[in-house]
Structure formats: C-alpha cells, structure tokens
Amino acid sequence: MEKGMYFLDQKDMPTHWYNIMADMPGDMPPLLHPGTGKPATVDDAAGLFSRACAEQELNTKDRWIEIPEELMEVYRTWRPTVLHRAYRLEKALDTPAKIFYKYEGTSQAGSHKPNTATAQAYYAKKQGLKGLCTETGAGQWGSALSMGTRFFDIECKVFMVRISFDQKPYRRILMETYGANCVPSPSTETKSGRAMLEKWPDCPGSLGLAISEAIEYMIDHPEYKYSIGSVANHVLLHQTIIGEECRKQMEMADAYPDIIVGNIGGGSNFAGQFFPWIRDKISGEKPDMRIICCEPESCPSVTKGLYEYDFGDSVGLTPLIKMYTLGHGFIPPPIHAGGLRYHGMAPTICHLHRLGFVEAVALPQTAVFEAGVKFARIEGILSGPEPCHNVKVAMDEALKCREAGESKTILIAHSGHGHFDLAAYDAYLTGKLQDYAYPEEEVKKAQLELPKVG
Ligand SMILES: *Cc1c(COP(=O)(O)O)cnc(C)c1O
C-alpha cells in the first residue's frame, strides 16, 4: 500500500527560510519612497515595519535566513503540516496524474497566515514594541496576527473592512477571543477613516482603506509598528517554510511536481510553496515545470492589471510598488464571495510572471465553488474559497492528463479551510451565487488614478 499522507518529523523541519531575492533573475524594479520617489532604504522600511522585517524586506544578498529558535518553538505547535496524496480525487477523476496537496488548514487559525504572523510578532517583541496594527478583510489575517501577538505577549489593533465586520462576525469574535482590539474600517479613529465617513457614511470599506487606517494608527502610536499579511518580500520569505518542508516530503514520496497550482490574493501562500521549487527552474534544471497562479475573474490583478508603480493602500502611505495593479482605489464588487480581493500583487510574483517563469489564470466564482464542493465530497476537506480556485485548476489539469494519457505530478498549494466561509457555500448550494463579469469600467476608472513616477 502506498502512503496517503507524508509526515515530516519535527526534528527534520527546515531551519531556514529561502530568500528568493538572492536568486532573482533580471532587474526587479525597487520599492520607491512615496514622498521622494527614490528607492526605499532599510530606514524607510523600518519606519513602517519592525527593524528585522525591514532588513529582510530589502535583503537581496542572503539566500538563507535562519528561523530564530524561539520562533521555531512556536512553529512546532502546528508544523510541519502534512503533505497528502489525493488518491480518492485521482480515482474520482479517473486520471493517470498523481495529485498531491500540502494543507495549511491545520494551523490554529486555519490557514498559512500564522507562518508570518508569529514571525512578525516575535520580531516586534524582540524590538520592545508595545504592539502591532494591521488591516484585515474577511478576518483570516487579523485572526492569525491576533494569535501571533498573543503568543509573544504584545498588543494587536485590527482595522477590519466594514462589510465583513458587519456580515461575518465569527472571525471578529475569534480575534477578540485572542485579545485583539478590532474596529470596523472606515473608523472614526483616523483621519482617512473620518474623511471617508464624511463623504460616504455607509462606505463598505476596502482593504486599501483599512491599510491606510492601520498605517495612520501606527504613525499616531510610536510604540506600535505596522504589520502586513501579504505582498511584502519579508512576508513571502516567512511563508517559504511551506515549500521547504514540501520539498522534503515530495522526496519521501519519491516524486517531483510537473505542475504547481496555487491561489494568489497578495501572493504569500503560493509564493511560500513555489519559491523553493522555482529555483530549479531559474537554474535551468527544471525548465518545463509549470507554475500556475489562480485568481478570481472579478479581481484579476495579474491577468488584467497594468504593470505600473502603484500604492499598496488607497490613501498613498505605503511605498510605491511596481506590480500588476487594478488601481489602488479599486473595490471589488460586493457580489464576489471568493476572497483574493486585493488590487495589486506581490512584486516578486509580478516580476517572475513578466519573465515568463509563472503563468496566471482567472476563474469565475461558480466554477470555483463547484470544485470546492467536489473536493469536500471526495477528500473531506472544506476548503477556503481561495484554495477552491487552484483545486479547480488542478482538477482541469488532471482531466487533461486523462485525455492525453499522461501521468503528470500535480502539486496543489492548499492554503486553508473554509469553516468561517459557510455562508458563501450556502449561497452556492442554494443557487444564489452568480458569476460577475470582469468590472472593466471600474478598473479603468481606478487606473486613471495611478501615481506619476519618474
Ligand atoms: C489570506 C488567504 C489567501 C490569500 O492571501 P495570499 O497572500 O495570496 O496567500 C489565500 N488563502 C487563504 C486560506 C487565506 O487566508
């Protein structure tokens, strides 16, 4: 009998994160200071993040960065995560393909996000900070950081996009259970929030605005730093523990992926899985390996965005980032249920896409939930809406293998469970979930507001 699960012993856990910036091909455009337009320095970044994270953000020299032992102790409360061989799915699809998935849903907060949340909390504590502030959409990131800051005994302030705050109370309750202070954004606590409320009292909020509020809060509270859940280099770095573990587990399974599929919101979970593999493609050792980034049709940054410098937030307080962007003022349609709602994308992933190392596809949400329901019925796991995107694409690729009679190895980066997303499943199961055409006019309007650079 072949194994269905690959467990890595805790003593064999990777001890270092992989910093792809040391191996990055081509000239990746730098982050720019929003005021001067000059390349951002470590001091600039340390105005926003803890100093250790600021140094990691701009580190292009060290390929390997050691995970501090105190943090390893925390990682060991849920890591290593398991690599599954999806025999039941292969059988159901009647495919010769081998399908694997590395599942991050077994962390305490239910996703990959604690990999960086605990790291950022650790560095903040070490620096003697009083707390971290952040934004959250549906609440995955906010709950991960609430847990991380609790583990390291510092405070946590979360600005939560108002529509989620009102409609999805469970993640907020989880954050408060961990001891965080969570307010709806726009809030009355910041200038950006108050300005928006004056203009638009019922504003549903957006991730971009919540980021602006969190940064403003940090500026007003010097004993706090800002913490971000995706997009930034140091965040993607912390997530590479996933792929480094997975390389060892695939070796145990005597397998190597031909295709790796992942979902991208800001890009952190997928980068965490594929960065450790793509170095074999960059080095020329595995030129044919395919890396497929999956995003929603209603928020299609990589497939439809412009590759331009833009802000990470809606007010313009973050560094300027060269990335595929729908415009920092873009707000995805409320009808969209599948997560992954950010207007931009990790600049590293954008750069690798420009160079042809990774592909991207955009998917309509009914097909995404259909795949999620199938996966739940076959594998038993109720996936978050985000990983349903790449589960769908993995299934399609496995069916292509059946047509072609090819036995490819497909690796799914599975970012987390959907136990707090049952309302979206309900909408799908009762036929209320609709596809939403790409909001072209909204995007065009938002892209008119891109900052002028150079
Ligand atoms: C936040 C989240 C994502 C999207 O964020 P990335 O930074 O792109 O990984 C995907 N899946 C889950 C389960 C999440 O919580």
Side-chain angles (χ1 to χ4, degrees):
M1 254 265 314
E2 281 189 90
K3 282 189 188 166
M5 292 168 99
Y6 293 88
F7 297 95
L8 190 64
D9 203 287
Q10 289 199 319
K11 71 176 176 0
D12 297 326
M13 255 175 83
T15 53
H16 291 69
W17 294 303
Y18 170 57
N19 179 20
I20 197 172
M21 294 307 292
D23 290 332
M24 191 60 91
D27 286 323
M28 198 179 121
L31 293 176
L32 302 179
H33 187 282
T36 63
K38 297 230 168 69
T41 62
V42 171
D43 282 342
D44 294 337
L48 209 51
F49 308 122
S50 68
R51 179 143 297 262
C53 289
E55 282 164 2
Q56 291 172 355
E57 185 63 26
L58 296 171
N59 185 331
T60 55
K61 290 206 173 64
D62 303 314
R63 178 169 292 116
W64 300 104
I65 293 178
E66 187 167 11
I67 306 170
E69 178 50 33
E70 222 181 308
L71 179 58
M72 283 293 277
E73 278 167 25
V74 169
Y75 272 5
R76 284 195 288 264
T77 64
W78 80 92
R79 304 208 70 85
T81 58
V82 171
L83 175 71
H84 297 256
R85 172 82 184 266
Y87 282 115
R88 291 177 55 83
L89 182 60
E90 292 169 18
K91 201 162 159 202
L93 297 173
D94 189 24
T95 175
K98 296 189 182 106
I99 307 175
F100 291 87
Y101 60 96
K102 171 94 162 152
Y103 182 50
E104 290 294 304
T106 50
S107 79
Q108 297 92 328
S111 74
H112 64 289
K113 291 198 168 83
N115 295 329
T116 185
T118 53
Q120 293 189 47
Y122 163 79
Y123 289 122
K125 175 71 176 185
K126 238 184 116 208
Q127 192 175 326
L129 297 171
K130 184 167 171 208
L132 287 171
C133 50
T134 196
E135 72 291 335
T136 195
Q140 293 261 29
W141 169 240
S143 40
L145 192 67
S146 303
M147 181 186 95
T149 48
R150 173 56 50 210
F151 281 3
F152 287 103
D153 201 21
I154 57 172
E155 294 176 5
C156 185
K157 174 84 181 182
V158 183
F159 291 86
M160 182 173 187
V161 174
R162 161 159 261 136
I163 187 160
S164 299
F165 188 93
D166 292 342
Q167 292 180 356
K168 300 179 184 168
Y170 296 117
R171 283 268 172 203
R172 169 182 60 75
I173 298 166
L174 181 57
M175 291 183 244
E176 287 170 350
T177 304
Y178 284 135
N181 180 299
C182 178
V183 295
S185 165
S187 77
T188 52
E189 295 192 27
T190 68
K191 243 183 10 226
S192 323
R194 288 190 296 271
M196 179 57 90
L197 287 172
E198 213 161 281
K199 244 187 7 205
W200 186 5
D202 297 324
C203 176
S206 71
L207 265 180
L209 180 60
I211 297 175
S212 303
E213 287 209 271
I215 294 177
E216 219 187 281
Y217 185 90
M218 174 209 72
I219 295 167
D220 292 343
H221 297 79
E223 69 284 25
Y224 268 66
K225 286 288 176 195
Y226 169 64
S227 167
I228 190 164
S230 191
V231 181
N233 293 348
H234 67 277
V235 175
L236 276 53
L237 171 79
H238 301 155
Q239 295 295 352
T240 58
I241 181 82
I242 302 172
E244 290 303 330
E245 282 179 7
C246 195
R247 282 188 72 109
K248 295 188 173 202
Q249 289 162 308
M250 288 294 277
E251 211 176 297
M252 290 161 73
D254 198 18
Y256 191 98
D258 298 302
I259 302 175
I260 312 180
V261 289
N263 67 80
I264 48 168
S268 73
N269 86 83
F270 193 31
Q273 176 62 269
F274 86 71
F275 281 1
W277 297 98
I278 205 173
R279 60 175 181 259
D280 295 349
K281 193 171 164 112
I282 292 171
S283 73
E285 202 182 311
K286 295 281 180 185
D288 299 328
M289 176 172 40
R290 290 178 62 203
I291 294 161
I292 310 176
C293 303
C294 309
E295 60 181 13
E297 246 178 17
S298 49
C299 194
S301 346
V302 177
T303 50
K304 290 279 172 56
L306 296 173
Y307 187 61
E308 294 289 352
Y309 270 104
D310 197 5
F311 293 112
D313 68 317
S314 57
V315 171
L317 303 174
T318 69
L320 287 158
I321 310 164
K322 182 90 171 199
M323 60 183 171
Y324 291 110
T325 177
L326 300 169
H328 59 270
F330 176 71
I331 299 181
I335 183 174
H336 171 62
L340 310 172
R341 307 170 68 93
Y342 191 58
H343 67 272
M345 185 53 57
T348 38
I349 294 184
C350 298
H351 180 66
L352 289 164
H353 182 268
R354 300 282 295 175
L355 297 180
F357 284 100
V358 304
E359 317 164 33
V361 288
L363 298 140
Q365 63 178 351
T366 52
V368 163
F369 278 92
E370 186 189 356
V373 168
K374 248 191 217 157
F375 193 75
R377 290 178 183 177
I378 296 166
E379 290 289 325
I381 287 177
L382 185 106
S383 305
E386 303 91 346
C388 291
H389 286 76
N390 45 309
V391 163
K392 159 76 181 150
V393 171
M395 286 182 186
D396 289 350
E397 290 296 329
L399 291 174
K400 283 187 210 160
C401 287
R402 181 172 79 187
E403 306 293 293
E406 279 179 314
S407 171
K408 290 197 172 143
T409 299
I410 302 172
L411 171 61
I412 299 172
H414 197 305
S415 48
H417 70 62
H419 297 178
F420 292 94
D421 303 288
L422 290 169
Y425 275 88
D426 189 43
Y428 171 76
L429 292 169
T430 55
K432 292 190 197 102
L433 198 72
Q434 285 166 25
D435 284 331
Y436 186 88
Y438 165 60
E440 190 171 354
E441 288 310 309
E442 297 301 311
V443 170
K444 272 199 183 133
K445 233 169 44 195
Q447 286 175 338
L448 287 176
E449 308 292 319
L450 289 181
K452 306 270 174 293
V453 172

